[in-house]
Amino acid sequence: MTAPLPDLLIDPVVRAALAEDLGRAGDITAMACIPAEAHLDAVFAVRGRGVTAGLACVRLAILAMDPEAQFETLVEDGSLLAPGTHLAKVRAKARALLSAERTALNLLGRLSGVATLTRAYVDAVAGTGARIVDTRKTTPGLRHLEKYAVRCGGGVNHRFGLDDAILIKDNHVAACGGVSQALTRARAFAGHLIKIEVEVDSLDQLKEALPHRPDVIMLDNFSLDDLRRAVEIVGDTITLEASGGVNLSTVRAIAETGVQVISVGALTHSAPVLDIGLDAV
């Protein structure tokens, strides 16, 4: 199973989401209808088939509203789920639990949706040796959580931000005057721990990049024939990443060209929310 994120990283996101929902006066429906001393027992249950991610968000949302709540996870993040599976059970003050419900479900459903879609891509390329990786096309403020969800689905993280690797894309190349110039400047700038990746959009650009020995070459919107040709040219001397035009109907054929990495923006920008609900018991 995927190593969990520290609560320290999750709690600020959860509390900001709760504050957005509670507004200026708190949950006036719960206060109007439910006695202050009332408690509620409930379970979080999945309605469809999928992969779970984000149970810590649920726990922290409930505990933020009721520090004395009893919360028990019944599955681990990264688990394959059948419809009807109970993910967690809780006993808490009723007002607190219902005030936390939507925030908890929003985060859990979103992250589980990312994990579920990632698993579909990972399964689609099984046996090819290619790895499915995410991108920076994430929801602002949720990147660390969404990339965690990708790992829960069996995917691999690309860079987290602009500061942890050099990735020279087409507009960088245009601004520098060419692939060779961009790579020369990047190599002079990079420290010994910084990896360099360059995006190319043709076999000619690929050949221009090779003498500079980047760590990774991204093959952007290459045809299958050009992907195969790129693999023949480069062999296993440099990691090749395919990007662009990737979906569940094309990813297997892309993987079979021999590229080592396939980046998929849809993992985080287009994942459907996994349907999960809170049921009183």
Side-chain angles (χ1 to χ4, degrees):
M1 293 296 176
T2 302
L5 290 176
D7 286 355
L8 183 67
L9 295 179
I10 305 171
D11 198 51
V13 174
V14 171
R15 288 180 178 271
L18 284 169
E20 178 183 56
D21 212 18
L22 290 167
R24 295 169 298 175
D27 184 352
I28 60 175
T29 306
M31 289 187 284
C33 301
I34 301 172
E37 67 277 7
H39 281 71
L40 186 65
D41 294 295
V43 295
F44 288 87
V46 64
R47 313 296 195 214
R49 192 172 304 278
V51 178
T52 187
L55 286 166
C57 297
V58 179
R59 171 175 54 82
L60 291 171
I62 294 169
L63 290 176
M65 299 302 299
D66 179 5
E68 297 180 354
Q70 301 170 31
F71 183 85
E72 181 183 354
T73 55
L74 303 176
V75 300
E76 294 183 335
D77 279 349
S79 300
L80 286 168
L81 305 170
T85 301
H86 289 179
L87 310 181
K89 61 182 181 180
V90 59
R91 177 173 174 77
K93 293 177 181 176
R95 286 183 180 179
L97 179 55
L98 296 179
S99 296
E101 176 184 1
R102 179 43 51 198
T103 291
L105 290 174
N106 282 350
L107 290 168
L108 181 61
R110 168 66 182 153
L111 299 180
S112 296
V114 170
T116 300
L117 184 58
T118 301
R119 181 64 61 86
Y121 275 89
V122 170
D123 288 347
V125 302
T128 66
R131 296 191 295 174
I132 299 296
V133 307
D134 54 28
T135 70
R136 286 168 44 244
K137 296 175 182 178
T138 54
T139 307
L142 296 185
R143 180 170 296 170
H144 59 301
L145 289 172
E146 291 179 347
K147 282 181 171 281
Y148 165 75
V150 167
R151 298 197 301 276
C152 288
V156 178
N157 294 145
H158 210 289
R159 61 178 181 161
F160 271 74
L162 296 171
D163 62 338
D164 59 349
I166 293 175
L167 175 47
I168 302 165
K169 296 184 70 70
D170 55 350
N171 286 331
H172 298 100
V173 170
C176 288
V179 168
S180 182
Q181 295 93 320
L183 282 168
T184 297
R185 292 171 183 172
R187 184 64 69 191
F189 177 90
H192 68 290
L193 294 179
I194 297 178
K195 286 196 172 186
I196 298 173
E197 178 173 8
V198 62
E199 174 187 281
V200 300
D201 58 20
S202 68
L203 291 173
D204 286 341
Q205 281 193 334
L206 170 67
K207 293 173 183 176
E208 185 182 353
L210 288 178
H212 298 274
R213 308 296 300 166
D215 299 286
V216 185
I217 298 177
M218 179 189 294
L219 309 172
D220 185 47
N221 284 299
F222 273 42
S223 67
L224 292 177
D225 285 342
D226 282 351
L227 286 174
R228 284 187 283 267
R229 181 63 181 138
V231 171
E232 291 174 1
I233 292 169
V234 176
D236 59 1
T237 60
I238 295 173
T239 298
L240 292 178
E241 173 185 337
S243 179
V246 182
N247 55 54
L248 282 171
S249 65
T250 63
V251 69
R252 178 78 190 187
I254 293 170
E256 289 175 343
T257 66
V259 296
Q260 296 99 323
V261 175
I262 303 173
S263 54
V264 186
L267 301 183
T268 51
H269 72 57
S270 296
V273 170
L274 185 61
D275 189 5
I276 300 170
L278 177 70
D279 300 325
V281 295

